[in-house]
Amino acid sequence: MTTPLVLVGAGGFARETARAAAAAGGFELLGHLDDDPALHGTEADGLPVLGGSDLVHDLPAARVVVCVGNPRDYASRARLVRRLALPEERYATVVHPTAALSATSAVGPGSVLLAHCALTAAVRVGAHVAVMPGTVLTHDDVVEDFATLAAGVRLGGGVRLARGAYLGTGALVREGTTVGAWSMAGMGATVLTDVPPGEVWVGSPARRLRAAPAPALAEAELDARTAHAQGGPVT
């Protein structure tokens, strides 16, 4: 028995997720949903673009993965998930069959592990996380909701990627280090010390370049207001 699946987004990440879901088996790929009207009625790698993202509400039997985001606006996945307001059980988790996911590791709803990823021991990956091909997460790493790990990222043991953090292609993070919420480590960065929230770091060793892009800072501000209203800490 297969599970109907729709992918929100029709760009590169969505197409990669479609191929991973097809390789994993167990899914009936219904197609893509995208808010660009010019794409409606077209195909993305052989799958139809059925309409806008709000069509998820007309497909109650389908599971969903939100596959949007890029380095210029890596907060878009969080905004779209919030707007769709689906219950957690509507979201699928897609793991490519070549990914090595240990029995002591866990991956949350709406997250995607692409080909040849490795999660070695007691790794925790939250909801709506994008893990691109060839990424290695070692023992006791924690990756919080909406984080993005581009291809070839390597995390030492005990690393924490806070909510919405973005690691560019080939970034390396030293063991025991934290990358703060909605921060970015650029392509090829070597992160040796903690990165505060809401910053962009680049280089080897990585250093602060500037503040994070405006959409990411807006998410950080929303998180802070939500935490304050709930009486919890802001990380």
Side-chain angles (χ1 to χ4, degrees):
M1 183 174 179
T2 58
T3 300
L5 179 67
V6 291
L7 306 173
V8 179
F13 177 39
R15 290 157 47 216
E16 290 173 323
T17 300
R19 294 306 96 210
F27 293 109
E28 177 192 359
L29 289 164
L30 302 183
H32 298 270
L33 304 179
D34 197 284
D35 290 329
D36 182 354
L39 297 178
H40 298 171
T42 67
E43 290 189 348
D45 284 3
L47 283 179
V49 181
L50 303 170
S53 60
D54 287 335
L55 274 178
V56 295
H57 302 294
D58 297 329
L59 299 166
R63 303 288 292 280
V64 180
V65 179
V66 176
C67 306
V68 299
N70 60 67
R72 293 173 297 283
D73 186 6
Y74 52 92
S76 59
R77 196 156 63 251
R79 292 198 308 272
L80 190 46
V81 167
R82 185 167 59 249
R83 178 167 68 80
L84 294 177
L86 296 174
E88 183 179 282
E89 58 268 21
R90 284 291 307 276
Y91 287 105
T93 300
V94 175
V95 179
H96 193 280
T98 63
L101 176 60
S102 74
T104 58
S105 296
V107 181
S111 292
V112 177
L113 304 184
L114 293 180
H116 305 294
C117 296
L119 281 65
T120 63
V123 175
R124 295 291 178 265
V125 174
H128 309 289
V129 173
V131 184
M132 301 302 177
T135 292
V136 177
L137 286 70
T138 56
H139 66 88
D140 304 303
D141 289 336
V142 175
V143 180
E144 296 184 4
D145 298 351
F146 301 108
T148 300
L149 295 84
V153 165
R154 301 288 190 270
L155 305 186
V159 166
R160 174 180 171 240
L161 300 186
R163 180 179 174 89
Y166 186 105
L167 299 185
T169 300
L172 309 174
V173 184
R174 186 178 187 173
E175 65 274 7
T177 301
T178 294
V179 178
W182 302 107
S183 282
M184 170 188 282
M187 181 182 296
T190 302
V191 180
L192 301 179
T193 60
D194 289 350
V195 176
E199 296 185 0
V200 175
W201 283 39
V202 299
S204 181
R207 296 284 188 269
R208 186 186 191 276
L209 176 65
R210 55 177 171 80
L217 293 178
E219 284 298 317
E221 176 61 26
L222 177 61
D223 290 346
R225 292 200 303 269
T226 301
H228 179 76
Q230 296 174 348
V234 179
T235 58

